Amino acid sequence: DAKTTQPPSMDCAEGRAANLPCNHSTISGNEYVYWYRQIHSQGPQYIIHGLKNNETNEMASLIITEDRKSSTLILPHATLRDTAVYYCIVLISNFGNEKLTFGTGTRLTIIP
Amino acid sequence: KAGVTQTPRYLIKTRGQQVTLSCSPISGHRSVSWYQQTPGQGLQFLFEYFSETQRNKGNFPGRFSGRQFSNSRSEMNVSTLELGDSALYLCASSMTSGGTDTQYFGPGTRLTVL
């Protein structure tokens, strides 16, 4: 079972920052938070991941709370091409048995 | 460098037939994982191969099998197809197996079983 909770859908105006929350209250100390997105009928695309510190790359920023029980993915200037389902995943790591467990994700719609 | 490629992109089969799907990982990647995506069940992990060995397996019946070749290319086979096997089949590659190595997904093969 996925160990994350995300809102099923969100809207964001084009050009604004999109903030996608994720709750992972049962995360353990050595588990990472990963974010992927899936644009309609395409394969999921890796966005960013982190352990405890905030992370930023060319696509997004990841803010992880100090207690690590929740995180927020930030798309700083959303465009129409950012419309997708966004998945927050806690990597269940049992040495040699790592696998991505996807939940239902958040369907983000960017509105012109 | 080139991304993960999957062939064919679309496939139509009838119940009872068998099907083989192919995945070519990113050059240098040695791990290939397979996933099934359906509207009802979402994205579900099928199995992972690393260095030609199956390292992890999800909760799917034995009709679903796979293999990996020495060049890291992988195939997935589904025998005795059922209507419920209609899905988008995705493969993902990573450099290694283990740890938190990022997986990169291919575009998928959309299988329709009639």
Side-chain angles (χ1 to χ4, degrees):
Chain A
D1 293 332
K3 293 188 174 181
T4 61
T5 303
Q6 299 177 252
S9 64
M10 291 180 62
D11 294 337
C12 179
E14 187 178 16
R16 295 292 191 101
N19 297 283
L20 293 92
C22 179
N23 181 287
H24 31 79
S25 58
T26 61
I27 193 170
S28 63
N30 60 351
E31 290 181 322
Y32 285 71
V33 179
Y34 273 73
W35 284 83
Y36 280 78
R37 73 180 182 183
Q38 188 173 24
I39 297 169
H40 182 64
S41 295
Q42 297 181 21
Q45 177 189 22
Y46 166 79
I47 301 173
I48 199 168
H49 74 280
L51 182 62
K52 58 177 74 174
N53 298 320
N54 298 338
E55 302 287 345
T56 296
N57 63 20
E58 65 278 5
M59 288 182 67
S61 294
L62 174 61
I63 309 298
I64 302 175
T65 58
E66 192 168 341
D67 63 9
R68 304 214 318 125
K69 293 186 176 185
S70 65
S71 61
T72 301
L73 177 74
I74 301 172
L75 307 178
H77 304 287
T79 70
L80 297 178
R81 288 180 293 180
D82 293 322
T83 293
V85 177
Y86 287 76
Y87 295 98
C88 167
I89 301 161
V90 167
L91 186 60
I92 302 167
S93 176
N94 177 20
F95 184 75
N97 291 306
E98 294 77 12
K99 60 182 181 180
L100 293 173
T101 300
F102 289 81
T104 53
T106 295
R107 183 172 298 277
L108 175 67
T109 302
I110 305 302
I111 300 171
Chain B
K1 50 186 170 183
V4 178
T5 58
Q6 293 186 245
T7 57
R9 293 293 312 278
Y10 301 91
L11 203 51
I12 299 175
K13 292 285 188 178
T14 56
R15 278 180 299 174
Q17 286 187 307
Q18 68 93 26
V19 67
T20 300
L21 311 181
S22 179
C23 173
S24 293
I26 292 172
S27 178
H29 286 194
R30 296 170 60 194
S31 172
V32 173
S33 297
W34 287 89
Y35 296 80
Q36 181 196 64
Q37 186 172 29
T38 61
Q41 299 297 319
L43 260 159
Q44 293 187 291
F45 173 78
L46 280 157
F47 31 65
E48 182 206 2
Y49 285 86
F50 179 77
S51 293
E52 303 177 62
T53 301
Q54 187 181 88
R55 300 201 69 237
N56 202 357
K57 191 176 188 302
N59 297 321
F60 278 82
R63 299 185 298 108
F64 292 82
S65 63
R67 60 176 175 169
Q68 186 179 35
F69 302 95
S70 58
N71 62 359
S72 296
R73 190 177 69 86
S74 177
E75 288 183 347
M76 190 192 89
N77 185 76
V78 187
S79 62
T80 319
L81 284 166
E82 301 177 358
L83 295 179
D85 297 333
S86 293
L88 181 66
Y89 289 90
L90 294 155
C91 83
S93 75
S94 59
M95 290 189 70
T96 62
S97 179
T100 54
D101 205 9
T102 299
Q103 293 190 21
Y104 296 90
F105 285 79
T109 294
R110 184 163 297 281
L111 171 65
T112 301
V113 182
L114 302 176

